[in-house]
Amino acid sequence: MLEKPYIVILAGGIGSRFWPYSRKKRPKQFLDLFGTGRTLLQMTFDRFLGISQADHFFVVANQQHYELVKEQLPEIPESNILTEPLRRNTATSVAYACYRIGVHHPTAKIIVTPSDHLILHQDKFLAKIQLALTASEIDHRLLTVGIRPNRPETGYGYIQYHLEPASKVKKVKTFTEKPNTKLAQTFFESGDFVWNSGIFIWQAKSIIHAFEKYMPDVAEVFEEGKEFYKREEEIAFTKKAYTLVKNISIDHGILEKSDQVYTVLGDFGWSDLGSWMSLYEHHDLDNANNLVEANALLYDTKNSFIKVSPEKLVVVQGLENYLVTESDNVLLICQLDQEKKFREFINDAKNKGEDYV
């Protein structure tokens, strides 16, 4: 019987562009954004359960969200909830989880996935994952899932790959972080660029080899942790370990440096659900292109997102391209496509009091 892959869910984000619904105490991955009764974290678990098993799931999350993970995913062992004492970006999160798995299962196949993505076509998605799992059997290969772009998006990173028509698995040429509008247009028109989904597939020994080669300081830290994993001392170890490593993404730390990175190309209705705008784009709209999740009366209003507690009657007149939403003690009214302003909103709200963020 083939060993099922391990699934590492990265759940350490703060979801700032979904403020005020997403807060420090309960970021967006722990919220039910679609009204399905399942949070984004739970939807991610559901997505992979068909190809794995509950005790093969690991969740990497901030230590203050341990109880939330435990509550929302009671199926996984509590020891598989890996808590981070500090935010140190994805290279550290990946290293912690993959060293933890690799200690006992060096040939294990591992899928690393964010906790806040939307996948509309599950069968197509899993077919690409299976293709990548097979490709990862070659030693040292690191696989990523690339998304065929449908617009010159500036909010995503891009992967350029070698044009090899006969191969379903493409060797990666370059990684580019979020480009400007002109460059994004060039990438979109070129035909050999895809969006970087942030979904990765590899064997434990392959990613550990990459850490040893390209991030030896991180490799040394988590190699020393082997004697503490799954023991009471693990929490104390991680508190120290996280002070010793840099704040860097897995893309910058390893994937941009390695010559063993490959991609499989996907087109399965993907979104990273990074903002209110992305959520708006994945819902059915009314005749005026409004998304209304409220008891509302709208007049001369179009292309807007109204999300307010049904206990209130909301009357909106004369808005276009606006977001109107409330959560607890915050009412937010802003232009729907101004997600770049949210950092400013949150910083200023924090100055008003910690209870607002």
Side-chain angles (χ1 to χ4, degrees):
M1 179 178 172
L2 291 175
E3 178 74 15
K4 292 185 177 180
Y6 287 79
I7 315 298
V8 174
I9 302 177
L10 304 181
I14 58 176
S16 59
R17 288 179 292 170
F18 270 103
W19 181 80
Y21 192 35
S22 176
R23 304 285 186 102
K24 285 182 179 179
K25 292 182 179 179
R26 189 179 289 263
K28 68 172 179 177
Q29 59 268 29
F30 301 106
L31 301 174
D32 176 8
L33 294 182
F34 290 93
T36 63
R38 300 289 280 175
T39 67
L40 295 181
L41 175 64
Q42 291 170 323
M43 289 172 64
T44 305
F45 173 78
D46 297 342
R47 184 174 302 138
F48 290 97
L49 189 57
I51 62 170
S52 190
Q53 58 195 53
D55 63 356
H56 276 37
F57 280 78
F58 286 76
V59 178
V60 186
N62 188 281
Q63 62 184 13
Q64 69 174 314
H65 300 136
Y66 173 82
E67 291 297 333
L68 274 176
V69 177
K70 183 178 168 183
E71 171 192 322
Q72 294 193 3
L73 295 180
E75 301 93 337
I76 74 172
E78 292 180 21
S79 62
N80 287 11
I81 303 173
L82 309 184
T83 58
E84 299 184 295
L86 301 168
R87 297 187 71 234
R88 282 292 182 265
N89 216 316
T90 54
T92 303
S93 303
V94 168
Y96 182 15
C98 291
Y99 270 87
R100 178 74 131 65
I101 295 168
V103 166
H104 301 292
H105 308 284
T107 60
K109 295 177 183 178
I110 300 172
I111 300 168
V112 178
T113 177
S115 58
D116 54 359
H117 286 185
L118 173 68
I119 304 292
L120 294 178
H121 307 299
Q122 176 82 350
D123 291 345
K124 288 183 179 180
F125 172 71
L126 291 181
K128 294 298 182 180
I129 293 295
Q130 292 288 6
L131 176 62
L133 286 169
T134 300
S136 73
E137 293 172 358
I138 298 176
D139 282 352
H140 306 323
R141 271 195 178 184
L142 309 175
L143 276 292
T144 178
V145 178
I147 309 298
R148 297 184 188 277
N150 56 21
R151 62 185 184 276
E153 174 62 55
T154 59
Y156 299 150
Y158 283 74
I159 298 168
Q160 184 184 27
Y161 60 89
H162 290 274
L163 291 171
E164 301 161 330
S167 176
K168 293 181 179 180
V169 179
K170 313 290 187 182
K171 190 163 188 178
V172 170
K173 276 186 184 179
T174 62
F175 283 83
T176 303
E177 280 301 298
K178 301 172 183 178
N180 59 35
T181 302
K182 184 177 180 180
L183 196 55
Q185 184 66 41
T186 301
F187 289 169
F188 179 61
E189 293 172 354
S190 72
D192 59 348
F193 282 83
V194 288
W195 292 334
N196 181 5
S197 71
I199 301 171
F200 308 112
I201 300 94
W202 42 55
Q203 291 186 83
K205 63 180 181 179
S206 297
I207 190 62
I208 288 173
H209 174 268
F211 273 109
E212 291 171 346
K213 185 173 183 180
Y214 301 109
M215 298 187 73
D217 52 335
V218 173
E220 182 179 357
V221 168
F222 286 100
E223 182 72 25
E224 290 178 356
K226 284 184 175 181
E227 62 182 292
F228 305 115
Y229 297 144
K230 297 191 77 172
R231 294 173 54 186
E232 290 183 5
E233 298 92 339
E234 183 170 348
I235 292 177
F237 161 74
T238 56
K239 284 182 178 179
K240 180 182 178 181
Y242 271 64
T243 66
L244 300 175
V245 294
K246 295 181 291 186
N247 188 338
I248 188 172
S249 70
I250 190 71
D251 304 70
H252 285 320
I254 289 181
L255 300 178
E256 292 178 5
K257 300 173 183 176
S258 173
D259 62 355
Q260 290 295 317
V261 183
Y262 292 77
T263 187
V264 295
L265 311 184
D267 184 7
F268 35 73
W270 171 89
S271 172
D272 75 341
L273 293 178
S275 66
W276 287 108
M277 187 66 177
S278 63
L279 187 61
Y280 167 86
E281 291 172 341
H282 286 91
H283 273 79
D284 294 331
L285 309 178
D286 66 15
N287 292 334
N289 289 325
N290 295 311
L291 173 56
V292 182
E293 296 182 356
N295 180 16
L297 295 174
L298 304 187
Y299 303 89
D300 307 316
T301 294
K302 57 185 178 181
N303 306 321
S304 294
F305 189 171
I306 316 297
K307 181 179 175 64
V308 177
S309 168
E311 296 175 0
K312 299 177 182 177
L313 174 64
V314 183
V315 183
V316 180
Q317 189 272 326
L319 294 186
E320 180 176 358
N321 183 40
Y322 262 79
L323 168 68
V324 179
T325 186
E326 66 167 1
S327 182
D328 296 330
N329 55 355
V330 177
L331 170 65
L332 173 65
I333 303 171
C334 67
Q335 291 179 315
L336 181 56
D337 59 0
Q338 290 298 304
E339 56 194 55
K340 293 179 181 178
K341 297 285 288 184
F342 273 69
R343 187 180 298 274
E344 181 182 346
F345 294 163
I346 292 172
N347 287 339
D348 290 344
K350 187 176 181 179
N351 291 333
K352 290 282 189 180
E354 287 287 343
D355 288 345
Y356 296 118
V357 295

